[in-house]
Amino acid sequence: KAKNVSVTRVKGANFVFECRILSHVDIDPAHFLEPAIDRLYPEKDYHRVFFGQVLGAFRSEMSEG
């Protein structure tokens, strides 16, 4: 379980960032500066960008080295 937010951590992750989401922006293909980028989204399933506040950052013991 996470320490600062109500989610579970991914087992085996080397690094974990716990964040509080502040806002999000949906990618608008009309703003692509390079038209070829649109070919990377054949299903038009454009990304969503999240902005947040980092509440905690943790490194697993296995990632030390």
Side-chain angles (χ1 to χ4, degrees):
K1 289 190 170 188
K3 295 182 180 184
N4 300 292
V5 290
S6 179
V7 298
T8 57
R9 292 185 178 181
V10 176
K11 184 177 181 176
N14 291 328
F15 298 95
V16 174
F17 293 92
E18 295 179 8
C19 302
R20 180 173 66 108
I21 297 172
L22 301 175
S23 181
H24 72 268
V25 176
D26 292 325
I27 298 295
D28 181 350
H31 297 147
F32 289 160
L33 300 178
E34 173 57 52
I37 293 173
D38 199 49
R39 291 195 310 251
L40 301 174
Y41 297 93
E43 297 180 29
K44 308 300 183 203
D45 56 341
Y46 304 108
H47 285 83
R48 173 173 279 180
V49 179
F50 288 91
F51 298 90
Q53 175 186 13
V54 176
L55 301 173
F58 308 94
R59 181 174 76 168
S60 73
E61 294 177 18
M62 296 183 71
S63 68
E64 294 180 14

